[in-house]
Amino acid sequence: ALPQLGGGGPAEAVDEADGELHALLGHVLEKGMLLCNDKRGPVLAENVRTLKLLLGRWAPRLGAKLPLRRLLILKQLKARSKGDEAREVQWRKAALHLLNALLANHLPLADDEAATTIPGGHWTRLMPPGSPALANAPPAASDAYTPVGPTELLDALLSCVKHARKAVYDPAATVLGQALASLGGSAAADKLPACEENVFKYLSELSMSDYTQAGTSRLLVLLDHLSEGYPRLLELRGRLLAVWARSKLLEVHGDGRANVLRCMTHAAARERSGAGQEEPAPLRGGPEGVPPVTTSVTKEVWEGLLSQQQPEVQHASLRLLLELAQHHPLDKLWPLLPALDAALARHRAVDCRALYHELLIRLRERAAEPGAAVPDAPSETLLRSGLLVGLCDPDETRREAMLG
């Protein structure tokens, strides 16, 4: 019934001035949150999906007026279960999914500092007269509540990032990156530097203490997911973490190499946006004047990456090249066309071909800009032939996209 409640009717039907209705909607969501720690994976996933649907329906309309106690999420993030680690993992995973849903719908990370009461009795007016539920209804008076601040939630998220199980630290890194980004420009922006430093300290210590393959793999996963939402972490202290990740590009394989390439993509996107131009100077102890990590990838390295048979590495390589095609000197990209054509023109994976076509289109657009470095004759031939092959792609959706 709840998905139908969240998906039916216009969102404007939710009265912005009806405080009791807001409280009722919050009450429904909180009750749903308590059901999102089921031991059965499919049930947990369906419960979370339902709550995300409801949040996506109501949050854009009500925003901060939707009363959701972050204390429920905080308790699950800090859950402990002696002798039943699987149960603890389920609790924390559910809390991470829910917090992700809040942030994805642009709701605040923490409670409103003024939310010191939680209204009660908001559902009684909607019950039919004579309902047995009314006989057991709690008093309508408000109950005292202590709001949860951003520092408490960020500390709990960091503890999940430090968790031993990948099922916890993997999604925790994604949500922590989103949470750090949400603080910028908010009323709690003054809390950001200290939280940022705590995260950086843990990651840098991990890079200098655990040299095992498992330790390297873990840190690359964390950097990948954290920098997706908060790429500034890669710039701190003279790009220390970015340089560490780049140094692992040829040392790791498979998923680990894809993690490195995605970190480089996040760094390149931030470089293109100019977000780091007004950042404070690197803190003492970090290398000065370190160039962007993407400029240190040679033509030979690119050719090796593109020739690999691991789709996740090729996909991540294309994402990075597509980002570089937005601002990188074209004379550094034209020499890569032979390797791109050989590896991707007839790639079996549709998503890799789609990224390849998108890259070719972007290169052609930039080549037409005034003052751009034009391709030589062989590169121009490969560029044209690649686009023509795309028009004849075996996948109908790809052909339509190319024609469009």
Side-chain angles (χ1 to χ4, degrees):
L2 283 177
Q4 296 180 26
L5 174 64
E12 290 73 15
V14 179
D15 188 354
E16 292 187 36
D18 190 343
E20 284 192 343
L21 179 58
H22 305 165
L24 175 62
L25 298 180
H27 184 68
V28 170
L29 290 170
E30 287 186 356
K31 288 293 185 183
M33 286 180 183
L34 296 176
L35 299 174
C36 283
N37 55 10
D38 197 284
K39 287 185 177 181
R40 296 161 293 179
V43 175
L44 182 144
E46 183 63 21
N47 291 345
V48 170
R49 188 196 69 82
T50 298
L51 285 184
K52 284 186 173 181
L53 187 151
L54 297 177
L55 281 168
R57 187 71 182 166
W58 297 333
R61 179 71 175 170
L62 299 179
K65 293 181 180 179
L66 191 60
L68 283 172
R69 291 176 293 178
R70 303 315 192 263
L71 181 61
L72 296 178
I73 295 178
L74 179 64
K75 286 184 174 181
Q76 284 188 278
L77 287 175
K78 299 166 70 174
R80 299 279 185 184
S81 182
K82 292 183 178 181
D84 192 352
E85 187 184 23
R87 186 68 168 154
E88 176 186 322
V89 168
Q90 288 294 86
W91 277 332
R92 296 198 182 205
K93 281 175 58 179
L96 290 167
H97 283 298
L98 294 171
L99 191 52
N100 168 259
L102 294 180
L103 295 171
N105 284 287
H106 308 291
L107 291 174
L109 169 67
D111 285 319
D112 181 353
E113 292 182 358
T116 56
T117 58
I118 294 296
H122 40 265
W123 54 272
T124 55
R125 67 183 178 91
L126 302 177
M127 301 298 294
S131 169
L134 291 174
N136 301 318
S142 298
D143 296 323
Y145 175 66
T146 302
V148 172
T151 302
E152 295 172 89
L153 282 164
L154 288 168
D155 287 345
L157 283 171
L158 183 55
S159 74
C160 289
V161 167
K162 297 177 180 180
H163 200 276
R165 294 283 294 273
K166 186 177 181 180
V168 175
Y169 72 70
D170 190 329
T174 299
V175 179
L176 181 54
Q178 295 172 329
L180 290 169
S182 73
L183 289 188
S186 71
D190 59 313
K191 306 289 195 305
L192 183 57
C195 296
E196 182 185 78
E197 179 63 20
N198 288 338
V199 176
F200 176 83
K201 180 181 179 182
Y202 168 67
L203 296 175
S204 59
E205 288 178 351
L206 192 60
S207 71
M208 294 181 287
S209 61
D210 190 344
Y211 299 101
T212 65
Q213 183 177 350
T216 298
S217 175
R218 176 191 178 102
L219 182 52
L220 287 174
V221 168
L222 295 179
L223 285 177
D224 178 7
H225 296 327
L226 276 163
S227 62
E228 180 181 8
Y230 196 67
R232 178 177 143 75
L233 276 176
L234 297 174
E235 295 181 346
L236 297 180
R237 301 203 181 184
R239 301 192 179 99
L240 187 147
L241 293 174
V243 170
W244 179 88
R246 168 63 183 87
S247 71
K248 303 299 178 185
L249 180 59
L250 300 181
E251 296 180 12
V252 295
H253 304 276
D255 290 339
R257 185 166 289 179
N259 290 139
V260 174
L261 290 165
R262 283 192 290 267
C263 287
M264 295 169 69
T265 304
H266 304 153
R270 184 168 170 82
E271 177 192 343
R272 173 170 60 89
S273 69
Q277 292 179 359
E278 299 180 1
E279 299 293 346
L283 300 177
R284 183 173 15 174
E288 302 288 340
V290 178
V293 292
T294 49
T295 62
S296 60
V297 183
T298 65
K299 174 176 176 288
E300 292 71 25
V301 171
W302 277 120
E303 290 173 346
L305 292 171
L306 294 170
S307 65
Q308 292 188 10
Q309 298 302 309
Q310 299 163 314
E312 67 272 17
V313 175
Q314 291 178 318
H315 193 278
S317 299
L318 280 167
R319 284 286 183 191
L320 177 54
L321 282 172
L322 189 57
E323 179 56 47
L324 294 178
Q326 310 297 326
H327 64 95
H328 207 57
L330 284 176
D331 58 353
K332 303 292 186 182
L333 299 175
W334 296 131
L336 302 180
L337 284 179
L340 285 164
D341 180 74
L344 299 160
R346 293 169 178 80
H347 199 284
R348 61 184 179 183
V350 176
D351 56 344
C352 282
R353 296 201 305 273
L355 287 174
Y356 171 58
H357 298 153
E358 190 177 346
L359 175 61
L360 294 179
I361 292 170
R362 180 57 187 144
L363 290 174
R364 186 156 188 82
E365 290 173 346
R366 282 199 62 198
E369 296 174 357
V374 296
D376 56 20
S379 296
E380 175 68 21
T381 299
L382 284 173
L383 184 61
R384 288 175 177 271
S385 65
L387 292 170
L388 289 172
V389 169
L391 289 171
C392 304
D393 193 276
D395 183 79
E396 182 180 358
T397 304
R398 286 303 317 140
R399 293 197 300 271
E400 292 176 354
M402 290 296 290
L403 288 170

